[in-house]
Amino acid sequence: RARLTTRRARRPGACLCVCVGALPSYSSGARFAPSLATMRQRPRLRPSLILDLAVLVLLQSICVCVHAEDQSQPVLSTQPQAHSDTHQTETKEAPQGGEDEDCGCSAALNRNGRDGKQALGSDLGGDVATGGECVLNAEGTAGGNSERDMKKSPSHEHMVFITGGTFKMGTTKGTYPQDGESPVRLRKVSSFHIDSTEVSNQQFKEFIDVTGYQTDSEKFNWSFVFEGMINEKQNQEITKTVAAAPWWLPVPGADWAHPEGPHSSISRRLDHPVVHVSWNDAMAYCKWRGLRLPTETEWEFAARGGKEDRTFPWGNKKLPGGKHRMNVWQGELPSGGYHCKLPNGERTICTNTREDGFLYTAPVRSMGPQNKYGLYHIVGNVWEWVSDFWTTRHNVALEIDPQGPRANRNDERVKKGGSFLCNPQFCNRYRVAARSHNTADSGAGNIGFRCAKSEL
């Protein structure tokens, strides 16, 4: 697991270029994502009180209340742990350094959840504040996230219908072998509906306002924020970071409504994709709308837009006709990461030249549809959760409507599409066949989602 390290103090006069996108995205290296994902487990909320079982006789509810430990700064993880996969029988050691590491991916930024599961924030170490005690509501259920609170959702507007078919999933030209982009496998998909855009802050806010749902980042009371997005005062106050990706900082109070911490707001970003949402949060939202997350197969079938053996939803050229079709990072990353050196030797965030018009996230309906299905930002902008458990082993024979493996040891789920931090030099994962993973309770500033539903 990637280790936290104490940050070198930055001189007050050092510059910080505010020109990056958001949070965890993927780097160019072949081995770094597993390395980052191996961060030290962080304590989660633990059961402290179970109502007397005699209550069952009275047919009353049992609520398990938990207390959050009052903890603060992440601690240094001293022992790398192995990255495991349910479909592998042997344990692999986490890679150590090298040119092909995945130093920028959100796959690396996992929290350690209950029962040893990993998730975005908790991998920062054992002393990260958890927050989010269980509170009983008037009906004796866990406040905010109960079935009772999943009230009627808005209509299924802004969805597009995808006619099913058979296609070749994956690629023979994968950039990252460790991601399981290969081999090419034959898949048949039934017709389905999918959101034309990523879920926006406005849409997610409506869900929160109606249900009172509390996201995983809110429960943990912190999340990873890209260094270029925070101010100098915040930067100076944070003393720990991910050793292999020091541009990702654990910011207290960062969540979907406060993407850069308590003093930030989404009030001017309501049409941008919601971020800092975990797989669990995405599932809860889609369920509220009477929908679900798309499977990885559905997502890739929709992203390909009916084209075979193409890199992007529109074809093989990144800039067809010299036009930017996706929100990704432009600018050089000369040091194998997002840190560049100043003339005085200090480090600063490299410059995103914004040739596509955006520094960070872009509005969900910006830049035009990326394929004939009318899908916006299916690649770039933010990573998108899909329903499948993570695996890198694939059956090449024809499968019909595959749902992915039944489980994996770390409760890791697949995400697709890359983000605004992706760059050919460091995270070439804005391709339709590209894929990565995080644990189900992980969230970051460059991870979002869209919903789907089966044909009725």
Side-chain angles (χ1 to χ4, degrees):
R1 295 191 169 96
R3 296 167 294 178
L4 287 179
T5 185
T6 300
R7 303 178 71 203
R8 289 193 303 170
R10 298 178 69 248
R11 298 178 184 175
C15 298
L16 183 65
C17 298
V18 183
C19 56
V20 181
L23 302 122
S25 77
Y26 288 64
S27 78
S28 60
R31 299 183 301 170
F32 201 79
S35 175
L36 278 179
T38 59
M39 293 167 39
R40 180 178 174 182
Q41 291 187 3
R42 164 188 166 220
R44 288 277 311 268
L45 305 179
R46 297 180 180 178
S48 63
L49 177 64
I50 302 179
L51 299 181
D52 196 328
L53 293 179
V55 177
L56 288 173
V57 180
L58 303 176
L59 299 180
Q60 295 180 358
S61 300
I62 296 178
C63 177
V64 178
C65 289
V66 293
H67 299 282
E69 299 179 10
D70 183 16
Q71 301 173 342
S72 55
Q73 287 290 334
V75 298
L76 178 65
S77 174
T78 57
Q79 295 294 330
Q81 301 175 15
H83 176 272
S84 60
D85 184 272
T86 12
H87 298 271
Q88 297 174 336
T89 57
E90 60 182 21
T91 302
K92 295 190 272 187
E93 292 187 3
Q96 304 294 322
E99 295 178 355
D100 57 348
E101 292 186 342
D102 273 342
C103 304
C105 304
S106 33
L109 306 179
N110 282 331
R111 290 194 184 96
N112 288 333
R114 192 174 305 162
D115 300 326
K117 297 177 182 178
Q118 300 174 351
L120 181 70
S122 53
D123 277 336
L124 285 177
D127 291 342
V128 177
T130 54
E133 290 94 334
C134 169
V135 179
L136 298 184
N137 62 27
E139 296 193 13
T141 57
N145 299 354
S146 67
E147 288 291 335
R148 184 188 68 84
D149 287 322
M150 297 298 146
K151 300 176 183 178
K152 186 176 181 181
S153 71
S155 63
H156 304 156
E157 58 184 351
H158 305 309
M159 300 193 83
V160 297
F161 179 72
I162 308 293
T163 302
T166 302
F167 77 112
K168 294 178 181 178
M169 185 174 178
T171 180
T172 59
K173 301 171 285 189
T175 306
Y176 307 112
Q178 82 279 7
D179 287 354
E181 297 179 8
S182 299
V184 172
R185 52 260 188 207
L186 199 60
R187 298 291 182 262
K188 184 175 182 179
V189 182
S190 299
S191 298
F192 63 100
H193 301 259
I194 191 168
D195 284 339
S196 61
T197 69
E198 295 151 339
V199 173
S200 69
N201 282 317
Q202 178 64 52
Q203 291 173 305
F204 199 77
K205 181 179 182 299
E206 291 169 359
F207 162 62
I208 298 296
D209 289 345
V210 170
T211 67
Y213 180 88
Q214 187 180 40
T215 64
D216 282 329
S217 289
E218 291 172 294
K219 294 174 185 177
F220 282 106
N221 194 34
W222 69 274
S223 190
F224 280 109
V225 179
F226 187 77
E227 183 179 345
M229 301 185 71
I230 65 173
N231 61 46
E232 185 68 16
K233 184 177 183 296
Q234 285 178 293
N235 199 314
Q236 293 289 343
E237 292 174 348
I238 296 173
T239 60
K240 300 291 183 182
T241 187
V242 180
W247 41 85
W248 284 111
L249 306 181
V251 175
D255 57 47
W256 74 274
H258 310 92
E260 292 81 54
H263 301 296
S264 62
S265 169
I266 59 170
S267 60
R268 296 185 179 182
R269 288 178 271 181
L270 291 175
D271 60 347
H272 286 232
V274 64
V275 293
H276 292 296
V277 285
S278 69
W279 183 92
N280 299 324
D281 303 331
M283 285 288 289
Y285 172 87
C286 291
K287 183 177 180 180
W288 174 68
R289 284 179 59 191
L291 308 176
R292 57 176 173 80
L293 285 175
T295 65
E296 182 179 8
T297 304
E298 289 174 332
W299 188 99
E300 188 165 326
F301 182 77
R304 289 184 177 276
K307 297 181 180 293
E308 288 284 351
D309 194 28
R310 293 294 185 268
T311 303
F312 305 111
W314 55 85
N316 284 328
K317 293 183 178 180
K318 182 181 176 183
L319 298 174
K323 181 181 179 181
H324 286 277
R325 300 292 304 274
M326 57 184 167
N327 177 23
V328 294
W329 179 285
Q330 290 90 45
E332 294 298 315
L333 301 173
S335 302
Y338 296 92
H339 278 156
C340 290
K341 288 186 178 180
L342 295 171
N344 65 1
E346 292 293 328
R347 63 172 175 77
T348 187
I349 293 298
C350 298
T351 299
N352 181 349
T353 58
R354 294 187 290 173
E355 294 166 28
D356 59 16
F358 302 99
L359 277 178
Y360 314 124
T361 57
V364 297
R365 285 196 172 272
S366 61
M367 302 187 75
Q370 292 179 331
N371 63 22
K372 72 175 186 179
Y373 295 146
L375 301 179
Y376 292 77
H377 294 295
I378 194 74
V379 294
N381 214 24
V382 294
W383 284 96
E384 298 182 14
W385 289 112
V386 295
S387 62
D388 303 43
F389 279 106
W390 172 258
T391 183
T392 56
R393 296 189 175 185
H394 309 295
N395 178 14
V396 298
L398 174 65
E399 291 186 1
I400 301 174
D401 293 326
Q403 304 296 306
R406 295 182 178 179
N408 66 29
R409 294 174 184 173
N410 294 322
D411 196 25
E412 294 174 307
R413 300 285 180 163
V414 178
K415 60 183 182 182
K416 299 278 286 184
S419 82
F420 56 84
L421 284 177
C422 285
N423 178 281
Q425 295 173 293
F426 204 71
C427 176
N428 183 22
R429 289 183 173 87
Y430 41 71
R431 298 166 288 111
V432 292
R435 57 200 303 269
S436 194
H437 56 101
N438 279 105
T439 51
D441 56 354
S442 296
N446 67 340
I447 304 179
F449 67 100
R450 69 182 73 211
C451 301
K453 72 172 181 177
S454 302
E455 182 183 19
L456 298 179

